[in-house]
Amino acid sequence: MANYENITLEKGMYQHRGGLTAALESLDPSINYKGTELEGLDAFSRQLKRFDIKVSGAASDTVEKFFQTSNSSALFPEYVSRAVQQGIEEADVLSDIVATVTNIDGLDYRSITSAPTTDEKSLKKVAEGAEIPTTTVRTNDHLVKLHKRGRMLVSSYEALRFQRIDLFTVTLKQIGAYIARAQLKDAVSTIILGDGNSNPCPTYTTATQGAISYADLITMWEKLSPYELTTILAPTTAMTGILSLTEMKDAAAGLNFHATGKMITPLGANLIHTSAITVDTFIGLDKNCALEMVKAGEVTTEYDKLIDRQLERAAITSTAGFAKIFTDASLKLTY
């Protein structure tokens, strides 16, 4: 069994593919701890245990605990990244609209697409010896645009050294929530305007201008066929109009809202409130077919500054972009 207590930690480990945790896992595989009291901890968590650093709960340590030794200080940037990532996950909406996530090592990525016609969407009988209908998949003409989103963390070590890590985590999680909201805005923009490959979202208008009816939701459901209407994204005004519909007072929808805080429509679609859409529009989509998220790594921190300068200024960023898979797997309804 690898001895996690004898590993020498240094900032060069962050240059390992996958970052510090991947480097630690290669030196101290978690599988070696199966059946022990440390089972369930990853390599980074075992290092926190090694230096007796408690990062959560009422008994969490102060920030200065990370900087007691040169070895333990190397853990601080990874703690920051994980806290920010936790904030992203808690504010997550993308999982309700993204079909797949692709991780890349560089900044250049060209996605694939398929634009079947109405005739190609139907599964026809194929007579003996007849040609089988085709579905064409091709690479997009333009690269996926990646956007770096993040914040500059500015503070002095003296200002934070006596603060509880648990309290500092709250601040870092808010940075993560900001990144999540910014990425959602990028995703919505890609759905509506396209990803640069001449594939904007099809647009329809409600039957009565300035108002939303249940018939409009039915129209959205019908026009999205053969895709499923799994998700509706709506700004505040559209959300108010939809929730005011008599059909939205369905008992099952009410019970789900009371139990989880999430709304569904009588059509079974998740109803998500977002400020990333203009006031006179809402979007319906099939989350299983509409959008691909492309990520250039996970949350990144300027580890050298956090280790050597003990805060001061350090950028925390996440780089991601979005590509449309099936153009007509989403549509925009204006009213």
Side-chain angles (χ1 to χ4, degrees):
M1 179 184 293
N3 190 348
Y4 68 96
E5 295 182 333
N6 294 325
I7 295 175
T8 300
L9 303 176
E10 45 92 19
K11 64 183 181 180
M13 288 181 168
Y14 284 92
Q15 298 176 3
H16 188 282
R17 182 175 180 178
L20 177 70
T21 296
L24 288 174
E25 285 289 348
S26 66
L27 297 171
D28 180 36
S30 293
I31 194 173
N32 291 339
Y33 295 89
K34 188 174 182 179
T36 72
E37 62 178 6
L38 298 179
E39 183 178 7
L41 298 180
D42 65 4
F44 174 73
S45 299
R46 287 192 292 275
Q47 291 302 312
L48 293 179
K49 181 176 179 62
R50 169 188 176 184
F51 294 102
D52 192 30
I53 301 175
K54 300 179 182 65
V55 297
S56 62
S60 65
D61 290 307
T62 57
V63 172
E64 70 172 352
K65 190 72 173 286
F66 276 105
F67 297 97
Q68 287 188 335
T69 69
S70 58
N71 270 291
S72 61
S73 65
L75 299 173
F76 188 62
E78 179 69 7
Y79 149 73
V80 171
S81 294
R82 289 188 174 213
V84 172
Q85 182 62 40
Q86 185 178 355
I88 292 176
E89 292 171 357
E90 290 180 358
D92 174 54
V93 173
L94 289 175
S95 60
D96 288 316
I97 65 175
V98 169
T100 183
V101 178
T102 301
N103 289 286
I104 62 175
D105 292 328
L107 294 177
D108 294 335
Y109 177 77
R110 198 182 302 273
S111 187
I112 60 174
T113 188
S114 178
T117 63
T118 302
D119 183 64
E120 291 173 337
K121 291 177 185 177
S122 61
L123 295 178
K124 301 178 180 179
K125 292 181 180 179
V126 180
E128 183 177 353
E131 183 179 356
I132 298 176
T134 61
T135 295
T136 303
V137 179
R138 60 178 178 80
T139 55
N140 281 324
D141 296 330
H142 299 283
L143 298 173
V144 175
K145 295 180 180 179
L146 301 182
H147 303 279
K148 179 180 286 188
R149 302 294 189 187
R151 292 285 190 183
M152 182 69 71
L153 181 63
V154 181
S155 182
S156 66
Y157 174 62
E158 288 71 22
L160 288 176
R161 61 179 298 189
F162 297 121
Q163 297 298 324
R164 295 288 179 184
I165 299 174
D166 199 33
L167 175 61
F168 188 41
T169 299
V170 175
T171 300
L172 296 175
K173 286 165 66 175
Q174 283 302 303
I175 294 177
Y178 158 78
I179 293 174
R181 289 191 295 268
Q183 290 179 340
L184 174 61
K185 188 173 182 179
D186 291 338
V188 169
S189 177
T190 299
I191 292 173
I192 295 175
L193 302 177
D195 55 17
N197 290 283
S198 301
N199 52 0
C201 185
T203 302
Y204 301 93
T205 304
T206 57
T208 303
Q209 188 173 2
I212 301 173
S213 68
Y214 186 63
D216 295 322
L217 298 183
I218 297 296
T219 299
M220 173 177 279
W221 169 79
E222 184 273 330
K223 289 186 177 295
L224 203 59
S225 180
Y227 302 104
E228 296 290 333
L229 178 59
T230 64
T231 309
I232 295 176
L233 296 168
T236 301
T237 51
M239 194 80 169
T240 301
I242 295 173
L243 292 177
S244 298
L245 297 175
T246 302
E247 292 79 3
M248 283 300 297
K249 299 173 183 178
D250 171 79
L255 287 174
N256 185 72
F257 180 70
H258 293 153
T260 66
K262 297 181 179 180
M263 286 299 302
I264 62 171
T265 69
L267 299 174
N270 290 327
L271 186 58
I272 298 175
H273 174 246
T274 176
S275 59
I277 306 176
T278 55
V279 294
D280 59 349
T281 299
F282 60 97
I283 296 171
L285 57 90
D286 185 340
K287 66 151 293 191
N288 300 307
C289 303
L291 205 62
E292 175 189 16
M293 183 178 186
V294 182
K295 298 172 64 176
E298 300 297 333
V299 174
T300 301
T301 62
E302 292 184 316
Y303 58 86
D304 53 341
K305 292 183 179 180
L306 289 178
I307 295 173
D308 296 339
R309 303 181 186 180
Q310 298 179 343
L311 295 182
E312 289 190 2
R313 295 174 62 88
I316 303 171
T317 60
S318 178
T319 302
F322 299 88
K324 299 188 77 168
I325 304 174
F326 292 99
T327 300
D328 51 355
S330 60
L331 57 85
K332 180 177 70 172
L333 198 64
T334 60
Y335 62 95

